[in-house]
Amino acid sequence: MHARTLLATFVACLSTQVLAMTPSEQIMEQFIDAKDGDTITLPAGKFEFTQTLSVSANNLTIRGAGMDKTILSFKGQNTGNGIDATGKKITFEDFAIIDSKADGLKVQNCEDLTIRRLSVDWTGPVKESNGGYGLYPVACKRLLIEHNFVRGASDSGLYVGQSEDIIVRRNTVTENVAGIEIENSLRADVYENDAYNNTGGILVFSMPDLPVIRNGAGTRVFRNVIRDNNTPNFAGKGNIVGLVPAGTGVMILANRDVEIFENAIVNNQSASVIVTSFYASERPIKDPNYEAHARNTYIYNNVMKNSGYAPAGMLKDIQSGMGLAGVKLERMPHVVHDGILAGKIGNIGELKLCIKNNAMSEPNQAFVNTTLEDAGFWSALFRLWKPKAYDAIPAEHDCTLPALPAVAAVS
């Protein structure tokens, strides 16, 4: 056969092979081949994947045709996340990720990250075997996360960890264990989100022994709707969020400098707001420089309605124990503090928990200090445990704190 004919045959075969690639394979190729400055355009349609889509590039945009039009399905996946990414100035927008085995979208060590109008969902009833996180940026700087929808995560629907300068706004999170979680992060504004039917609505945590940021500080949670977060906890065994009682509106754990203001916190069966130290978890702390107490927490100008009517999990046990100790509560008060001093705090006022001007549907059930480190069956029976429930905010918490600055310089 003539050489030219052979070459033509070879090119034709190669073209046929390229053309034979499925749309899913073509998308995977785009992720693998992505270079700095690229835009990956995802067409409308449903695309099946059995492997993680991984990408590492700077100035990268990955854009679909809409969260209800471009659907990346990982239902056939045996292991791994939906998408893994690293790089600077990355934008994800306008597509959906469903049924990933692990996390939906994980982005690590990034700068100037935008996640906008994504949907992450685990279809079917929520269950422990669902992936842990829907949107999961970690160890990043300057993040804007807005207008997303996340459902079904067995840890946190929208999680930001060990990061700095964060805006989380106008997202919808539902039927996750934690709707939104900010963990070990510096400077976060969480506002105008709708968190409903999760186990806990919005959590601000500082965990020990994490490598990037030891203690989180500077989070503002404001103008959110945090409602009906009464889904039974379905976190995996041993997971710290497995301790979050069903029916928690907002939970602050061991974080510094947190403002909670102008939120509507409604119909959460355990409590509107829980403020606690890490000591309450009864887990070990290896880092001697980790600060386990929540300090400088300012809760003001919120509307709190119909909470604490059926405490679950740890709060149910506390309510029962308090009854044995002689403090019978018709319902758990709106704001719950663990009251743990752990030998490091002289009095509770040192922690600067300030509660001011909140509109409560049951103002005579405003606050409880559970003095949890003294709790126990025998100490309750012999009245050695002395939790205190208040029908108004007590003087040591009727205070104000300086306003935190807004987060700026996010793309």
Side-chain angles (χ1 to χ4, degrees):
M1 184 179 293
H2 193 277
R4 181 171 295 178
T5 304
L6 279 173
L7 178 61
T9 304
F10 173 75
V11 170
C13 288
L14 185 62
S15 300
T16 302
Q17 287 180 359
V18 171
L19 290 174
M21 287 178 68
T22 67
S24 296
E25 290 169 338
Q26 292 176 32
I27 290 172
M28 181 166 283
E29 285 261 310
Q30 286 183 286
F31 274 71
I32 293 170
D33 294 340
K35 297 178 176 57
D36 293 354
D38 278 359
T39 295
I40 297 176
T41 301
L42 305 173
K46 184 174 182 179
F47 307 98
E48 305 282 349
F49 301 92
T50 58
Q51 300 177 50
T52 298
L53 295 173
S54 297
V55 65
S56 179
N58 302 318
N59 298 308
L60 175 69
T61 298
I62 300 176
R63 179 181 297 131
M67 66 166 69
D68 59 345
K69 292 183 174 62
T70 300
I71 301 169
L72 311 183
S73 172
F74 297 85
K75 199 172 185 63
Q77 198 176 34
N78 292 319
T79 185
N81 302 322
I83 297 175
D84 278 340
T86 62
K88 297 179 180 177
K89 204 170 180 55
I90 307 178
T91 297
F92 299 90
E93 58 189 17
D94 296 311
F95 61 91
I97 299 168
I98 63 171
D99 297 325
S100 58
K101 187 65 179 177
D103 310 319
L105 168 63
K106 184 173 183 178
V107 189
Q108 298 186 80
N109 303 315
C110 62
E111 296 180 10
D112 302 302
L113 171 68
T114 299
I115 303 174
R116 178 185 293 127
R117 296 186 298 274
L118 294 197
S119 172
V120 182
D121 193 357
W122 283 267
T123 57
V126 297
K127 54 187 182 297
E128 180 181 335
S129 59
N130 284 357
Y133 303 93
L135 300 176
Y136 183 15
V138 62
C140 293
K141 296 180 179 178
R142 298 180 297 281
L143 304 88
L144 174 60
I145 303 172
E146 61 179 3
H147 301 291
N148 301 288
F149 172 87
V150 186
R151 174 193 171 274
S154 64
D155 191 307
S156 301
L158 198 166
Y159 171 97
V160 180
Q162 303 183 76
S163 296
E164 301 178 41
D165 299 305
I166 304 147
I167 290 179
V168 175
R169 66 187 181 193
R170 300 164 193 149
N171 301 283
T172 299
V173 288
T174 184
E175 294 187 87
N176 308 284
V177 173
I180 295 172
E181 182 177 355
I182 306 296
E183 185 173 279
N184 291 65
S185 291
L186 302 176
R187 300 176 298 281
D189 276 355
V190 180
Y191 63 94
E192 297 176 6
N193 300 285
D194 189 5
Y196 67 97
N197 289 350
N198 305 283
T199 301
I202 298 178
L203 314 182
V204 183
F205 279 17
S206 277
M207 299 294 291
D209 310 316
L210 293 184
V212 180
I213 296 174
R214 177 174 288 130
N215 274 93
T219 294
R220 306 193 309 160
V221 177
F222 58 100
R223 297 200 299 268
N224 300 284
V225 177
I226 305 163
R227 55 190 171 96
D228 302 294
N229 291 291
N230 303 316
T231 294
N233 198 316
F234 59 99
K237 187 177 182 180
N239 192 327
I240 189 72
V241 297
L243 299 177
V244 176
T248 299
V250 179
M251 187 168 180
I252 310 301
L253 184 149
N255 220 84
R256 280 178 173 267
D257 306 325
V258 177
E259 277 189 75
I260 304 166
F261 60 97
E262 299 177 8
N263 300 285
I265 310 173
V266 179
N267 294 334
N268 300 290
Q269 70 182 63
S270 285
S272 295
V273 181
I274 299 173
V275 181
T276 184
S277 65
F278 186 78
Y279 298 120
S281 72
E282 298 183 312
R283 297 187 179 198
I285 301 171
K286 297 177 183 176
D287 183 353
N289 297 313
Y290 169 71
E291 171 56 60
H293 283 102
R295 294 177 181 267
N296 308 335
T297 308
Y298 190 16
I299 304 168
Y300 63 98
N301 294 350
N302 299 284
V303 174
M304 302 181 187
K305 289 185 178 178
N306 191 36
S307 73
Y309 55 86
M314 182 185 292
L315 279 194
K316 182 179 181 180
D317 296 339
I318 292 171
Q319 185 189 37
S320 299
M322 288 177 66
L324 187 62
V327 181
K328 298 186 182 301
L329 296 175
E330 181 182 340
R331 60 169 69 203
M332 191 60 73
H334 284 284
V335 181
V336 177
H337 189 253
D338 68 8
I340 293 175
L341 304 179
K344 296 184 177 181
I345 304 299
N347 64 74
I348 207 70
E350 292 181 26
L351 297 177
K352 295 185 178 178
L353 168 59
C354 293
I355 307 167
K356 198 86 173 176
N357 297 331
N358 297 286
M360 298 178 175
S361 58
E362 298 80 20
N364 61 334
Q365 294 162 347
F367 179 75
V368 61
N369 179 345
T370 62
T371 61
L372 202 58
E373 63 190 324
D374 299 326
F377 175 79
W378 294 108
S379 59
L381 186 64
F382 292 104
R383 304 293 167 91
L384 300 174
W385 178 23
K386 301 182 184 302
K388 299 176 182 177
Y390 298 83
D391 57 8
I393 301 301
E396 61 266 35
H397 300 302
D398 186 8
C399 51
T400 61
L401 290 172
L404 297 173
V407 174
V410 174
S411 58

